[in-house]
Amino acid sequence: MKKKVCFEDVSGFNDRWIILFGLPTASLFITFLLFSDTILKNGLGFVMVCMGMSVIHTATFWISLRWVYIRAKLRYPKFEQIGHRIMWYLISFLAIYFVVNKLLIVTVMDWLSETPNENDPNPIVTFISAFLMSALLIILYEAISFYIQLQKTVAEKAELERQNVESQLEGLRNQVNPHFLFNSLNTLAYLIPEDSDKAVRFLQQLSNVYRYVLESREAKIIPLQKELEFLDAYVYLLKERFGDNLKVIVHEPVQNPNFAIVPLTLQMLFENAIKHNVISVEKPLTIELFRENGCLIVRNNLQKKNQVMDSTGVGLENIQNRYRMLTDKEVELIASQQYFTIALPIIHLND
C-alpha cells in the first residue's frame, strides 16, 4: 500500500502555526483591500458577509497552492530546479484564480447584490492582491524549507567531517597497531637467524608500510596505483606470517593514473577480513581484488571466527562515511553464505 505523503515530509517543517495565524490575517487584509469602498455604506452585516467570503476565498487559495507546492517539491525536489517549480506555481495560480474568481467572487457577489455587479470588487485589484498573497505564501514556504535544508546539510557535513577525522584516527590506530607491529617483529626475529636475506627484505617492506601510513594519513584521496604498491608491501608481511594459509589474488592490475582511492582503505579491508575469519591449513583464507563496473572489488571467502577480539565495529562504517564526502556513489557491502564482498567506487582525479 502506497504511503500517503504529508506536507512535513516534503517541506521539512509543519505549517500548522503559519496557517492558524496567516489565514485570518490574510483574510482580514483582503477584506479591507477589496471592499473598502463599499463597507462604510453597507454596514456591519455586509462586512461580516465579506469577511466570511474572504476567509473562504483565502482558504481555497491557500489549500490549493499548498497542494501544488507539495506536488512541485516531489517532482522537482532539488534547489537547482526552482525554475521548474516557479513555472508550476504560476500556471497553477492562474488556474486556481480563474476557478475561485468564477465560483466565489462572481457567483456570491451577484447573489449579494440587488443590482448586478454593484458590490463587485475591482477585478484588477482582485487579481493583484491574489497574486501577491499567493507569491508571499510560496516564497515563505520555499524560504523556510530552504533554510531547514541548509541547516540539515551543514549539520550533516559537520557530522561527516567529524566522522572523517575519527575514521582517520581509527585507520591510523589500526595501521600502527601494536599487535601488528608485535607480530611483524616476531616474524622478523624468526627470519634473522633462518634467512638473513629474507629478513632484510622483510624489514624493507615493513619500513615501506609504515612510511606510506605516515605520508598518506593527511590525504583525502591518493592515486590507486600508489595504494596498490603499498598493498604489495603489506601483503608481503602477511604472507610471511600466514604462509600458504592466506591467498591473495589480484585479477586485474590497474594502470590508469587517473584512478584514485581513499588512502589505507585496502589495508583496512584486508585487516578486517583477517580479523573476522578463520585462517588455517584446513581453511585457508582467500582475498581477491579486481575491478568491475567502475568499482574496485575486495572479496574473501566467508569462514567467520566464533569470537572476534578487539573489534570496534566501526571500520566499515568509517570507510562508507569517508567515501560519502567524496562521491555520490555508495560503498556496497554484500554478504552471502560463501563470500563477503565490498565494492569501492573508483574516484577519478580529474573529477
Side-chain angles (χ1 to χ4, degrees):
M1 185 175 178
K2 191 175 181 180
K3 183 182 177 182
K4 184 179 179 181
V5 179
C6 68
F7 180 87
E8 190 170 356
D9 293 335
V10 176
S11 64
F13 67 95
N14 192 312
D15 66 334
R16 183 187 300 112
W17 291 106
I18 297 177
I19 295 175
L20 288 176
F21 286 100
L23 186 57
T25 302
S27 301
L28 187 62
F29 175 79
I30 289 176
T31 297
F32 285 97
L33 180 66
L34 297 182
F35 303 105
S36 58
D37 294 334
T38 55
I39 282 176
L40 295 177
K41 63 180 180 180
N42 287 283
L44 183 61
F46 182 80
V47 173
M48 298 305 295
V49 172
C50 291
M51 184 63 187
M53 193 183 75
S54 180
V55 169
I56 297 173
H57 177 268
T58 306
T60 305
F61 256 99
W62 196 306
I63 294 171
S64 301
L65 285 173
R66 188 176 182 269
W67 182 86
V68 170
Y69 171 80
I70 294 173
R71 297 298 116 191
K73 287 284 284 185
L74 286 172
R75 189 177 181 89
Y76 304 107
K78 296 181 180 179
F79 178 77
E80 297 80 10
Q81 297 173 315
I82 184 66
H84 293 84
R85 294 203 297 274
I86 290 175
M87 288 299 299
W88 267 59
Y89 300 148
L90 288 175
I91 295 172
S92 301
F93 165 78
L94 293 174
I96 295 167
Y97 177 81
F98 176 81
V99 174
V100 172
N101 186 62
K102 284 295 182 184
L103 292 179
L104 295 180
I105 302 296
V106 176
T107 305
V108 176
M109 288 308 299
D110 285 348
W111 175 71
L112 287 174
S113 304
E114 295 180 3
T115 303
N117 300 323
E118 174 184 276
N119 294 319
D120 281 0
N122 187 306
I124 297 177
V125 176
T126 302
F127 179 85
I128 293 176
S129 62
F131 179 81
L132 290 179
M133 293 302 294
S134 300
L136 182 62
L137 177 64
I138 292 298
I139 290 172
L140 181 64
Y141 278 163
E142 286 283 352
I144 295 175
S145 180
F146 174 76
Y147 176 78
I148 291 174
Q149 185 61 45
L150 181 63
Q151 293 295 102
K152 183 179 178 182
T153 302
V154 170
E156 287 177 348
K157 184 178 179 181
E159 178 63 15
L160 285 175
E161 288 177 347
R162 183 188 66 79
Q163 291 181 359
N164 183 50
V165 171
E166 289 181 355
S167 68
Q168 288 178 351
L169 293 175
E170 177 72 19
L172 186 58
R173 283 194 294 269
N174 286 339
Q175 313 317 317
V176 194
N177 191 315
H179 294 290
F180 174 74
L181 182 59
F182 177 76
N183 290 329
S184 297
L185 291 177
N186 276 344
T187 303
L188 181 61
Y190 169 79
L191 288 175
I192 289 174
E194 295 292 329
D195 190 335
S196 59
D197 291 337
K198 185 176 284 189
V200 171
R201 171 68 174 162
F202 185 90
L203 186 59
Q204 289 173 339
Q205 298 289 24
L206 183 62
S207 174
N208 290 337
V209 165
Y210 277 88
R211 183 184 300 110
Y212 179 84
V213 169
L214 295 174
E215 290 176 351
S216 63
R217 62 180 178 176
E218 301 296 334
K220 290 185 177 181
I221 59 174
I222 202 159
L224 179 55
Q225 194 59 44
K226 279 193 173 184
E227 180 83 0
L228 292 174
E229 291 171 2
F230 154 74
L231 187 66
D232 285 341
Y234 180 71
V235 169
Y236 179 90
L237 302 181
L238 295 177
K239 293 286 289 182
E240 287 297 329
R241 175 182 168 192
F242 294 104
D244 293 334
N245 298 338
L246 175 66
K247 303 180 186 297
V248 177
I249 304 172
V250 179
H251 287 281
E252 183 182 352
V254 180
Q255 303 295 337
N256 194 326
N258 189 42
F259 289 166
I261 192 174
V262 172
L264 303 174
T265 301
L266 295 180
Q267 188 279 334
M268 291 180 70
L269 294 179
F270 274 55
E271 183 69 25
N272 186 71
I274 292 170
K275 182 188 296 184
H276 290 82
N277 290 278
V278 174
I279 305 177
S280 65
V281 176
E282 295 79 13
K283 290 186 175 182
L285 179 67
T286 301
I287 305 176
E288 299 176 87
L289 182 67
F290 56 94
R291 186 157 52 99
E292 184 178 87
N293 298 327
C295 293
L296 198 64
I297 309 297
V298 180
R299 182 175 69 187
N300 64 271
N301 56 319
L302 204 57
Q303 41 197 35
K304 288 185 178 181
K305 294 179 180 178
N306 292 330
Q307 186 176 6
V308 179
M309 302 299 294
D310 299 328
S311 178
T312 63
V314 298
L316 294 177
E317 182 181 352
N318 283 336
I319 290 175
Q320 290 175 306
N321 290 333
R322 292 169 74 184
Y323 268 90
R324 287 193 188 106
M325 296 186 68
L326 301 170
T327 177
D328 55 358
K329 297 178 181 178
E330 292 286 337
V331 174
E332 295 186 40
L333 309 179
I334 306 167
S336 66
Q337 291 185 344
Q338 188 175 3
Y339 295 108
F340 184 74
T341 305
I342 302 98
L344 302 169
I346 295 177
I347 302 168
H348 293 258
L349 291 173
N350 290 343
D351 296 338

